[in-house]
Amino acid sequence: MGYKCTRCKQMVEIDYEYTGIRCPYCGHRILVKERPTTIKRIKAE
Amino acid sequence: MEVDILELSDRSAKFVLSNVRTAFANSIRRAMISDVPTLAIEYANIYDNTSVIYDEQLALRLSLIPLITDIESYVPQARCPTCGGEGCPVCEVSLSLSAEGPGMVFSRDMISSDPKIQPADGNIPIVDLKKGQKLVLEAIAHMGYGKDSVKWQAGIACGYKNMPIVSIENCDACGKCASECPKGIIHIEESGATISEEDLIKCSICRLCERMCEISAIKVSFNESAFVFTMESDGSYSARDLVLNAAKVIKGRAEELVGILDRL
């Protein structure tokens, strides 16, 4: 699962056992999940 | 059957339906609410959405936007003779939306594949986009019935009441009935209390005036075969077309029943 650091904008792979939720490049702790590029079909209900 | 139109505008109507039974009046009301097919967004193919609203909520908002419906051009998808429910230009219409912030996205920003099918109101807000936020989607609208989902309900605020009858005899013009009437339709003159023909329709048959009258000069009742109808359309049809289509639905069902009975 790819996440993006909100400070340095780098794509981050999280290693839960070693680093926890933290950017390995800048140490920032707020990471966001990127929206997938596929088309989502949503039923309106 | 007689119909006297009291008010008629594009979105609403008020009329008196006379010489019919309560069952018939109620069937017209119910048909307007649940049996007249309309177009509404059923699916949204979301290409990009970086707004603050998540996809499911966005799809729900889109589905509740009334679309101007052409009942002659489209059929409910389950009954589509061309595709049998798979989806084709006879039973569905596509509306695309592409917007980038900053700015509010309105229903008028949707571009329809059929110029006749447009949002009934262009000023319905969908989402407020901030700088850099994007929204790209394609919405697919189907014909459906109000009994299946509220998004397909064309008739709103449809209701009726019996035509009020107020008789005033030997009034002493005390004025108690006029002060008690919540609608303010009773006027006191020298000869006694009076109600004009126009105001009589406003009477809610609460009978407060009857209870207040100590000499029982005022009697309130109602006509069992005349109804004051009030209805509004969500914009998918004009008020006139909605009543007409509701009547056609009832006629179609009656003909279907006759056909079944003929085959017995």
Side-chain angles (χ1 to χ4, degrees):
Chain A
M1 181 68 71
Y3 290 85
K4 191 174 184 179
C5 173
T6 56
R7 186 157 70 184
C8 69
K9 313 295 181 196
Q10 291 276 0
M11 289 304 296
V12 174
E13 284 295 328
I14 296 174
D15 183 351
Y16 294 97
E17 289 181 3
Y18 184 63
T19 60
I21 308 296
R22 187 180 281 272
C23 174
Y25 303 101
C26 68
H28 199 55
R29 286 189 156 195
I30 301 173
L31 309 175
V32 292
K33 190 164 75 175
E34 282 283 271
R35 186 186 174 87
T37 51
T38 54
I39 301 165
K40 276 176 81 177
R41 188 176 176 90
I42 307 285
K43 194 166 195 288
E45 57 185 3
Chain B
M1 187 194 313
E2 286 176 32
V3 179
D4 293 321
I5 296 168
L6 305 172
E7 295 166 22
L8 180 63
S9 67
D10 193 42
R11 290 283 180 93
S12 66
K14 191 170 186 179
F15 57 91
V16 178
L17 187 64
S18 314
N19 301 328
V20 294
R21 304 285 290 266
T22 310
F24 183 80
N26 196 36
S27 65
I28 289 275
R29 183 189 68 85
R30 290 184 57 144
M32 283 193 285
I33 292 171
S34 63
D35 288 330
V36 177
T38 59
L39 276 168
I41 288 165
E42 175 73 343
Y43 288 101
N45 294 324
I46 298 178
Y47 295 87
D48 196 4
N49 174 23
T50 51
S51 72
V52 292
I53 292 186
Y54 52 90
D55 298 345
E56 288 77 7
Q57 183 67 37
L58 188 68
L60 176 67
R61 281 194 183 192
L62 292 170
S63 73
L64 294 174
I65 295 171
L67 301 173
I68 296 168
T69 302
D70 181 9
I71 201 168
E72 303 296 330
S73 305
Y74 293 92
V75 294
Q77 199 169 33
R79 293 188 197 169
C80 182
T82 314
C83 69
E86 294 286 313
C88 67
V90 178
C91 63
E92 67 180 31
V93 60
S94 140
L95 297 104
S96 59
L97 176 61
S98 179
E100 191 167 352
M104 179 70 81
V105 182
F106 289 96
S107 53
R108 59 173 167 263
D109 298 326
M110 300 177 82
I111 299 164
S112 173
S113 60
D114 182 347
K116 285 185 291 184
I117 310 302
Q118 298 291 341
D121 295 296
N123 58 353
I124 300 172
I126 297 171
V127 61
D128 190 9
L129 296 179
K130 298 298 176 195
K131 190 181 176 187
Q133 293 181 342
K134 280 175 77 177
L135 182 61
V136 184
L137 60 88
E138 181 196 25
I140 309 295
H142 291 175
M143 287 282 263
Y145 296 95
K147 60 191 171 190
D148 296 324
S149 173
V150 71
K151 66 185 174 185
W152 286 303
Q153 185 179 320
I156 48 173
C158 297
Y160 63 82
K161 65 176 179 181
N162 285 91
M163 187 71 181
I165 300 170
V166 181
S167 59
I168 302 168
E169 285 179 5
N170 305 321
C171 178
D172 61 357
C174 70
K176 285 181 183 171
C177 56
S179 60
E180 198 66 22
C181 179
K183 300 285 180 183
I185 56 174
I186 302 175
H187 302 287
I188 303 297
E189 294 173 3
E190 281 183 18
S191 57
T194 57
I195 301 177
S196 69
E197 278 290 313
E198 286 176 12
D199 286 344
L200 186 62
I201 289 168
K202 295 177 190 169
C203 174
S204 60
I205 321 176
C206 65
R207 294 199 164 97
L208 283 173
C209 53
E210 201 177 72
R211 274 182 236 154
M212 289 306 293
C213 187
E214 290 167 2
I215 58 170
S216 300
I218 187 162
K219 299 279 180 204
V220 179
S221 62
F222 55 84
N223 187 343
E224 288 187 355
S225 62
F227 303 89
V228 183
F229 256 91
T230 310
M231 53 82 62
E232 288 178 29
S233 163
D234 70 344
S236 47
Y237 296 100
S238 65
R240 180 181 170 278
D241 286 348
L242 180 58
V243 182
L244 280 174
N245 287 325
K248 281 179 190 170
V249 166
I250 296 169
K251 188 183 173 192
R253 284 196 178 161
E255 284 171 353
E256 196 178 333
L257 179 65
V258 169
I260 292 166
L261 292 174
D262 282 346
R263 286 198 296 274
L264 293 177

